[in-house]
Structures are given as structure tokens and as C-alpha cells.
Amino acid sequence: MAKIYTHLEKLEKNIANNDGFNEESQQIFSEFNGQLAAEQLPFEGFAKNKFVAPTKVANIPTRPDETTTAGIGWVGIKDSYYITEKKVENFTWLRDASLSTTILGPPIETFSSSAPNWTASIFPLSLAYDRGVFLRIPTKEGMLKGCATVDTEYYGFSKRTAGSPAVTGNFGTEGRVQLYVFVNDILVGTTGAQPAGKRQTYQIPFAIPVGASEALDIDIRASATFDTGSNIVTFPDDAKVHFYSAQLWVRNQYR
């Protein structure tokens, strides 16, 4: 808000005060009514030559080693956008040999509870995806906002071997899956630990102030646990976490 200065009371012949009771409030609220001063203009200001369409850029790195550059972006005068995505679009996956109907898949990555396949730590999905989970972009001083989207599936088959009645289920574990968003290895967003709940699509919005940089990394990571919590439950089949489609987009709003 602009600086506001109070006014001296006017004296007329030292007899009567001409008090403008509404003058101060009118001055304060004038900015909200459209009377803007220079203090409200953006840092870089407005000029006719700045009202131009953003420039599309390609070959944005989507893996840390830059072996894949499948991201795209649009760079404007006051902000820039970048996006990468990986789609699973074909219904060609036969989940089990005993089934006859194919479903959407196969997944891009699968972790199984049978050692040593389980993801025992925070795992960068960019090790499995060539796009959709990692961006390396230039930035200007300002804010970085975006959202990560990952389509997952976590299920297992459990069987109670004691007690009555015997219970079976296809997601009866106490396991958890968790997704994270990191910006230059700083955690900026997470789903929290999510229970095994069959098919789920997660979105993680995030925002963080950034400085000027030639290469800032944004990536999605995951972790999972497989905990039985009881000695009367057996698991005849492996518990599995599948990762399908993923998308990552960011916007850099300049200061």
C-alpha cells in the first residue's frame, strides 16, 4: 500500500474548525477503489513492449543425467511455466495368468514386498521414469508454484490363519506408501503416509521462494513400508506398489 500522510486541521479565523471527517478514510480506501499510485506497480513495471506472447521452449531435462529432455515450457515477461508428463494409455496388461481380461498397464514401476525389490528408503522416481517426475529449469527471483500428480496402486493378499472367522482381503496389510516433492533436495510437499488402498491418484501442490538460477531441480520421490503387525496373518502373495501415469508442472512468478 502507498504511504499515507495525514492532513492538518484547517482553522478559519480561529473560530471554527473545518473538520473533514471522511477525508482520511477516503484517501486510505482510494487505492482499493482503483486510484493506484506508482507504489502498486510491479517491480519491473508495465510498458507497451512488454505485452508480448510467451516464448515456447523445448528440450527441458526430465532426468538428472539429462539423457532425456522431454519437458516443455513457456517463458514470458513476468512468469514462466514448465511441464512434463508420462502416460500409461494402453489396456494391454494381464495382471495374472489366471485372468483373461487385460487392464490399463503395465505399470511403469513396481515394488514388491519380496526382498530385495522393496523400496526401503525415499526413492527418486526419476530412476524409473524418463519423464513426468523430474524437471531442471532456469529460474528468476520470485516464487515457484506447482503440482505433482502420480497414479499409484498398492495392494496385497492377506489371510488370517487364527481366530474366527477366517478373513481374506486384497489390501489387508498395514503397509504405507508416501510421495514427496523435492526442490534442490529440499522437501516442499508430501502426501503423508497413505494406507494400502488399491488404486489412488495423488496430487501434491507446493510453493517455495526461489532465487535466480541456471538450473533448479524439481523431482518426485516415493517410499513404502510393508508391516504385518500380527503373527496370525500370512501373506500368500507379494504386496506390490505400482506406479502408473505421472505429471509435474511448475510456474515461476518473477518478483
Side-chain angles (χ1 to χ4, degrees), residues 22 24 56 102-103 124 126 135 153 176 190 197-198 220 224 245:
N22 294 326
E24 301 297 340
K56 185 177 181 179
T102 57
I103 62 174
S126 58
L135 282 170
E153 186 178 31
R176 298 290 185 269
T190 180
K198 301 184 74 174
I220 307 173
S245 300

Side-chain angles (χ1 to χ4, degrees), residues 88 90-107 110 153 155 240 242 244:
V88 178
N90 299 318
F91 288 78
T92 58
W93 186 37
L94 193 64
R95 183 193 294 274
D96 187 88
S98 62
L99 303 176
S100 58
T101 303
T102 57
I103 62 174
L104 181 65
T110 298
E153 186 178 31
Y155 69 93
K240 297 177 181 179
H242 297 308
Y244 296 88

Side-chain angles (χ1 to χ4, degrees), residues 236-254:
D237 296 321
D238 296 338
K240 297 177 181 179
V241 180
H242 297 308
F243 292 93
Y244 296 88
S245 300
Q247 182 188 81
L248 176 63
W249 69 265
V250 294
R251 176 194 180 205
N252 180 201
Q253 175 67 54
Y254 310 149

